[in-house]
Amino acid sequence: KVRIRCPKCTKMFRDRAQRVRDGYQVNCEHCSRLLTLNRDSEDPFIRRALKTAKEIRAALEVAPKTTRVDESVRSL
């Protein structure tokens, strides 16, 4: 999850990195203000959230995917 700071109430909340992208809209959990996240924003906290989300998504793509082992195989 990525921390996002609301420019209106200045409180922090979190959202999934998979969702946080340029143009994404989310309501602040505290004051319900609609935020549009874009990389051209003057707010450094919004730009940082977008950058962090992008880095997390890139790391998840590189990381090997773990596979679930079937219960019947585990007992062998």
Side-chain angles (χ1 to χ4, degrees), residues 56-75:
I56 291 171
R57 286 193 307 271
L60 289 173
E61 289 177 8
V62 172
K65 299 197 181 211
T66 58
T67 58
R68 292 184 80 182
V69 178
D70 189 8
E71 290 295 325
S72 61
V73 175
R74 284 187 192 172
S75 62

Side-chain angles (χ1 to χ4, degrees), residues 12-75:
M12 302 289 274
F13 63 96
R14 294 177 179 258
D15 204 344
R16 291 179 35 201
Q18 306 300 18
R19 293 181 183 172
V20 177
R21 298 176 184 271
D22 192 34
Y24 176 65
Q25 292 185 325
V26 62
N27 287 326
C28 173
E29 295 176 358
H30 306 285
C31 70
S32 298
R33 179 178 183 179
L34 179 65
L35 306 175
T36 301
L37 307 180
N38 63 35
R39 62 178 176 237
D40 298 331
S41 172
E42 294 180 17
D43 189 342
F45 294 100
I46 290 181
R47 290 194 312 265
R48 183 179 303 147
L50 288 167
K51 181 181 176 188
T52 303
K54 184 177 180 180
E55 291 169 354
I56 291 171
R57 286 193 307 271
L60 289 173
E61 289 177 8
V62 172
K65 299 197 181 211
T66 58
T67 58
R68 292 184 80 182
V69 178
D70 189 8
E71 290 295 325
S72 61
V73 175
R74 284 187 192 172
S75 62

